[in-house]
Amino acid sequence: QVQLLQSGGGLVQAGGSLRLSCAASGRTFSSSAMAWFRQAPEKEREFVTGISGSGLSTNYADSVKGRFTISRDNAKKTVYLQMNSLKPEDTAVYYCAAKEFGSSWNRKGEEYDYWGQGTQVTVSS
């Protein structure tokens, strides 16, 4: 069993930065792909970014490319989401996700087996 504990987030002005963390406990972490998703009010959950188990492969949604950076520290069993140049449209609840098996990231939420508790990110204009 894997548990994902998120931290970070909060309220920031447009143009500001935030960093989210997602710490995993349980089984081996380094072999699992991880991802961040977000869900804004009255909107569908959407893929933000994913990272392979090794950390060598990443992928970003077009809406965050060049502004957000995903990284992981397998020794600490933690994945990070650095968010820069935040915009009001980035306002959402952000969730980290992990695969039970598989080291390759995927954009589909149903491909992930474990989810964090969610963290609110609010960007004011």
Side-chain angles (χ1 to χ4, degrees), residues 6-125:
Q6 296 179 219
S7 60
L11 174 65
V12 66
Q13 289 188 334
S17 298
L18 285 172
R19 189 175 84 155
L20 305 183
S21 299
C22 176
S25 62
R27 64 179 294 276
T28 301
F29 172 79
S30 61
S31 60
S32 300
M34 303 283 292
W36 289 94
F37 290 79
R38 67 186 182 186
Q39 187 166 20
E42 301 182 358
K43 291 189 176 181
E44 296 289 319
R45 181 181 64 193
E46 65 174 351
F47 172 83
V48 176
T49 178
I51 188 167
S52 63
S54 66
L56 296 179
S57 176
T58 59
N59 186 255
Y60 296 89
D62 288 343
S63 59
V64 306
K65 199 172 295 183
R67 299 187 298 120
F68 289 13
T69 302
I70 189 172
S71 61
R72 65 190 297 160
D73 184 334
N74 285 343
K76 295 183 178 179
K77 294 187 176 182
T78 300
V79 65
Y80 305 96
L81 179 62
Q82 179 66 43
M83 303 183 291
N84 298 329
S85 302
L86 282 160
K87 304 176 181 180
E89 50 263 44
D90 293 319
T91 295
V93 177
Y94 284 70
Y95 298 90
C96 66
K99 284 190 175 183
E100 173 73 29
F101 301 105
S103 60
S104 299
W105 53 263
N106 192 293
R107 289 189 168 217
K108 297 179 180 180
E110 55 265 35
E111 296 291 327
Y112 294 84
D113 303 288
Y114 302 101
W115 293 81
Q117 79 277 19
T119 301
Q120 178 69 47
V121 171
T122 302
V123 184
S124 63
S125 57

